[in-house]
């Protein structure tokens, strides 16, 4: 699926909503609501009025890492985006080039053997491309004094900052990139970029939802760096669906509740834990699942997602959940309604 959509620059959310004027909180963003071809306009604070007792929200507990670190290759300054840690201890990384405005632009990653010097005497060596689809992301081996104890997570805590893109106004503290559901993992890994669909939730709003009988099922999916190519499918990512969450999802389905995924990451995690019999069971590991209209969704009834550039894999997942007409009408209404886009922007709720 493709959409001929161009998002005007002025519709990019340049700062978090709580910084736009005094008194605003995260839940002050706008929310477009789609039910088939019907579209309605709400604020996110109205979410409790749109859900029913027995509905279940699947939320991603992955914490955002300060995944961008300054480095040097030869005499050239680079920024390393740490994406994903592999089972063998290597990290998938992307090398970027400073653009002079506090953000970065793409640069060539290879060749194999390229060495990058990082703070604290840390050395990064590129070994091989992450996949045969391109050479943007590389597997790299990290060594040196700075990683002997706390490892790469320690390096990121001490020297990293959140990944930032050119449409934003300035660097934000890591706290601005964490959701209310974020939990630190035991091994210090997390998401290279925020699972941003959950950003508008506040503790107060969660409490109101719980008081109204809405359930929450936590899952984990550590997101890698966002794709720079319009038709590049997502890379494999590490995920976990705990036993308790699998049981909650199955109980909600049995009781007639709607399973609403908070973010495409939650969709990918839950749909990766579905067995041949259609039941969700505890599962952990890597998923390379790409949700398409042909594959469909087997568990998820609805989706809360941010407004992002109409990237192929994102659109395919939306179409799988909502149908083509709903996606086209939703994007059209978001542009006409001057909704704000990207991770600090407004959100889109798709309900059956």
């Amino acid at each position: 699926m493709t959409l001929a959509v161009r998002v005007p620059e002025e519709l990019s959310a340049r700062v978090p909503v709580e910084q736009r004027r005094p008194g605003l909180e995260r839940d002050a963003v706008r929310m477009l609501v789609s039910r088939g071809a019907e579209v309605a306009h709400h604020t996110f604070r109205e979410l409790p009025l749109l859900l029913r007792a027995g509905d279940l929200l699947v939320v991603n507990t992955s914490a955002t890492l300060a995944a961008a670190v300054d480095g040097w290759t030869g005499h050239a300054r680079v920024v390393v985006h740490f994406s994903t840690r592999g089972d063998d201890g290597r990290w998938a990384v992307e090398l970027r080039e400073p653009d002079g405005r506090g953000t970065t632009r793409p640069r060539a990653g290879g060749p194999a053997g390229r060495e990058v010097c990082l703070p604290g005497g840390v050395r990064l060596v590129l070994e091989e491309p992450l996949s045969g689809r391109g050479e943007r992301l590389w597997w790299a081996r990290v060594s040196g004094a700075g990683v002997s104890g706390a490892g790469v997570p320690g390096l990121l805590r001490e020297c990293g900052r959140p990944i930032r893109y050119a449409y934003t106004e300035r660097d934000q503290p890591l706290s601005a990139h964490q959701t209310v559901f974020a939990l630190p993992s035991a091994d210090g890994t997390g998401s290279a970029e925020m699972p941003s669909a959950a950003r508008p939730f506040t503790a107060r709003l969660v409490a109101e939802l719980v008081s109204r009988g809405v359930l929450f099922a936590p899952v984990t999916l550590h997101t890698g760096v966002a794709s720079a190519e319009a038709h590049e499918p997502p890379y494999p990512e590490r995920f976990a669906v705990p036993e308790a969450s699998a049981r909650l999802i199955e109980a909600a389905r049995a009781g007639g509740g709607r399973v609403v995924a908070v973010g495409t990451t939650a969709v990918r995690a839950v749909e990766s834990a579905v067995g041949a019999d259609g039941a969700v069971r505890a599962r952990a590991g890597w998923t390379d699942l790409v949700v398409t209209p042909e594959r469909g969704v087997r568990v998820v009834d609805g989706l809360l997602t941010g407004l992002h550039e109409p990237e192929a894999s994102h659109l395919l997942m939306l179409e799988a959940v909502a149908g083509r007409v709903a996606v086209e009408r939703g994007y059209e209404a978001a542009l006409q309604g001057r909704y704000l886009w990207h991770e600090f922007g407004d959100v889109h709720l798709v309900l059956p």
Side-chain angles (χ1 to χ4, degrees), residues 103-300:
T103 52
T104 61
R105 51 179 170 252
R107 77 181 304 281
R114 181 185 293 277
E115 182 174 313
V116 180
C117 297
L118 300 175
V122 176
R123 190 170 68 100
L124 180 149
V125 178
L126 302 182
E127 293 191 347
E128 60 181 333
L130 185 62
S131 80
R133 298 198 300 262
E135 297 193 357
R136 185 172 65 90
L137 292 176
W138 283 69
W139 285 116
R141 188 76 61 181
V142 185
S143 62
V147 295
S148 58
V152 169
L155 172 71
L156 301 185
R157 286 193 298 270
E158 292 180 15
C159 305
R161 62 185 178 278
I163 290 174
R164 176 188 161 203
Y165 289 104
Y167 51 77
T168 56
E169 185 174 293
R170 57 183 176 269
D171 284 342
Q172 295 290 338
L174 186 58
S175 60
H177 293 262
Q178 303 292 11
T179 74
V180 72
F181 304 110
L183 295 171
S185 61
D187 61 3
T189 55
S191 288
E193 299 183 13
M194 171 176 52
S196 56
R199 191 182 190 279
F201 283 90
T202 61
R204 179 186 60 195
L205 189 66
V206 170
E208 182 178 352
L209 287 163
V210 170
S211 73
R212 289 173 174 265
V214 175
L215 306 171
F216 287 83
V219 299
T220 301
L221 187 138
H222 295 318
T223 66
V225 297
S227 171
E229 290 79 25
H231 299 289
E232 181 182 358
Y235 292 99
E237 293 169 317
R238 194 187 300 273
F239 82 104
V241 175
E243 176 67 32
S245 293
R247 290 181 180 179
L248 278 169
I249 293 168
E250 286 302 297
R253 297 171 74 190
R258 297 171 294 182
V259 177
V260 179
V262 178
T264 57
T265 61
V267 176
R268 199 181 196 198
V270 168
E271 294 290 330
S272 296
V274 182
D277 60 354
V280 177
R281 294 182 177 85
R283 189 177 171 195
W286 292 85
T287 177
D288 58 2
L289 176 65
V290 179
V291 178
T292 65
E294 292 73 28
R295 188 266 185 192
V297 286
R298 303 173 67 186
V299 177
V300 171

Side-chain angles (χ1 to χ4, degrees), residues 11-20 26 28-30 162-165 167-178 194 196-197 199-200 306-308 340-347:
L11 294 187
S12 294
R14 296 174 60 79
V15 296
V17 62
E18 61 271 22
Q19 296 179 18
R20 291 176 203 155
R26 290 185 175 205
V29 297
R30 299 168 69 196
I163 290 174
R164 176 188 161 203
Y165 289 104
Y167 51 77
T168 56
E169 185 174 293
R170 57 183 176 269
D171 284 342
Q172 295 290 338
L174 186 58
S175 60
H177 293 262
Q178 303 292 11
M194 171 176 52
S196 56
R199 191 182 190 279
L307 294 165
H308 302 287
L340 295 181
W341 296 61
H342 303 301
E343 68 267 30
F344 296 135
D346 299 316
V347 291

